């Protein structure tokens, strides 16, 4: 009798906890495919850095597993997506766009950091073949899709200094800029001067 109770309890626990665990790995998503204008609402399986319960940008870099409201699952390639918005575990929204609409050539999905009247800043996530590290690159463009700067974020201040060469006040503020928000504020100021 004791063995039956333990077996029944184990099966019931496994069933209950596996349902909750599986659902925590999926986040609400809205996306539009390049060959459609329809917005599809579903859930996307998260590809976490240390845990699949916390959002990580690698979710949009590889083939994505989508689950509709009926529980049907399908796979979507990042190159097939025109727009995607993922709501993470903290209810923050992460939006990505097909780069072909904002850059001269296709670079995959990009995140918009700033879009202004005269200057734009985008972030691209990249996984080079056989590399262990994911790479994050930035693109600064004018409104004609001309790339003013592209590259890795480690030399960002140097590139902004070149862009702000005619604005000593912005170059001075650039010295204390450390976060993306700081750089976005500088781009807004630059845009207002143009």
């Amino acid at each position: 009798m004791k063995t039956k109770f333990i077996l029944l309890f184990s099966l019931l626990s496994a069933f209950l906890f596996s349902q909750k665990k599986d659902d925590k790995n999926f986040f609400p998503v809205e996306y539009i495919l390049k060959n459609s204008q329809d917005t599809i609402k579903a859930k996307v399986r998260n590809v976490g850095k240390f845990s699949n319960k916390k959002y990580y940008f690698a979710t949009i870099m590889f083939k994505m597993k989508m689950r509709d409201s009926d529980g049907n699952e399908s796979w979507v390639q990042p190159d097939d997506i025109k727009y995607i918005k993922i709501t993470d575990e903290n209810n923050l929204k992460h939006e990505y766009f097909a780069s072909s609409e904002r850059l001269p050539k296709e670079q995959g999905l990009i995140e918009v950091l700033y879009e202004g009247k005269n200057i734009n800043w985008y972030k691209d996530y990249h996984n080079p073949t056989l590399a262990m590290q994911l790479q994050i690159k930035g693109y600064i463009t004018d409104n004609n899709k001309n790339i003013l700067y592209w590259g890795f974020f480690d030399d960002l201040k140097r590139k902004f200094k070149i862009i702000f060469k005619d604005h000593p006040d912005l170059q001075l503020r650039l010295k204390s800029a450390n976060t993306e928000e700081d750089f976005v504020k500088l781009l807004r100021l630059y845009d207002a001067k143009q």
Side-chain angles (χ1 to χ4, degrees):
M1 180 69 179
K2 187 176 178 182
T3 308
K4 288 181 184 178
F5 176 74
I6 292 173
L7 182 63
L8 180 63
F9 181 74
S10 298
L11 288 172
L12 185 61
S13 297
F15 177 73
L16 290 175
F17 291 117
S18 68
Q19 293 296 320
K20 288 182 182 177
K21 179 185 174 211
D22 188 40
D23 209 34
K24 288 182 182 177
N25 295 342
F26 282 80
F27 292 139
V29 66
E30 294 178 19
Y31 63 100
I32 301 171
L33 297 173
K34 286 181 180 175
N35 61 4
S36 171
Q37 292 301 318
D38 298 332
T39 300
I40 302 166
K41 293 185 178 185
K43 290 190 172 192
V44 62
R45 183 180 64 187
N46 184 46
V47 178
K49 185 173 186 177
F50 301 111
S51 162
N52 285 342
K53 295 175 186 168
K54 294 186 183 216
Y55 176 76
Y56 190 55
F57 63 82
T59 300
I60 57 113
M61 293 183 60
F62 309 103
K63 188 162 57 169
M64 293 173 266
K65 188 175 193 177
M66 302 291 187
R67 182 185 291 164
D68 67 16
S69 59
D70 296 330
N72 300 320
E73 294 181 346
S74 60
W75 291 92
V76 178
Q77 292 286 352
D79 291 342
D80 295 336
I81 291 180
K82 180 178 182 179
Y83 167 79
I84 186 167
K85 178 172 66 174
I86 301 169
T87 305
D88 70 13
E89 72 279 3
N90 297 318
N91 214 25
L92 296 174
K93 307 221 181 313
H94 304 272
E95 293 181 289
Y96 304 93
F97 299 84
S99 59
S100 57
E101 294 182 3
R102 289 170 165 82
L103 297 175
K105 69 177 200 173
E106 181 66 40
Q107 298 291 337
L109 292 171
I110 57 172
E111 181 179 0
V112 175
L113 297 174
Y114 176 77
E115 284 187 322
K117 295 183 302 183
N118 302 300
I119 196 162
N120 309 300
W121 186 24
Y122 306 112
K123 189 189 290 187
D124 168 35
Y125 303 97
H126 181 66
N127 183 30
T129 309
L130 302 175
M132 296 295 282
Q133 284 291 90
L134 299 176
Q135 297 176 344
I136 302 172
K137 292 187 295 185
Y139 295 89
I140 298 175
T141 68
D142 63 15
N143 279 348
N144 295 323
K145 292 188 182 181
N146 296 318
I147 295 177
L148 306 174
Y149 161 74
W150 72 272
F152 300 104
F153 279 83
D154 56 357
D155 68 342
L156 193 60
K157 278 192 178 184
R158 188 172 61 83
K159 296 300 181 182
F160 271 99
K161 193 173 182 178
I162 294 168
I163 293 169
F164 299 155
K165 69 180 183 284
D166 296 332
H167 304 282
D169 59 323
L170 294 179
Q171 285 188 349
L172 186 64
R173 289 180 183 216
L174 181 61
K175 291 177 183 176
S176 63
N178 292 317
T179 65
E180 286 179 357
E181 292 80 18
D182 294 339
F183 291 110
V184 168
K185 286 177 188 174
L186 288 170
L187 286 175
R188 281 193 184 110
L189 292 170
Y190 175 81
D191 225 6
K193 291 176 180 264
Q194 299 302 315

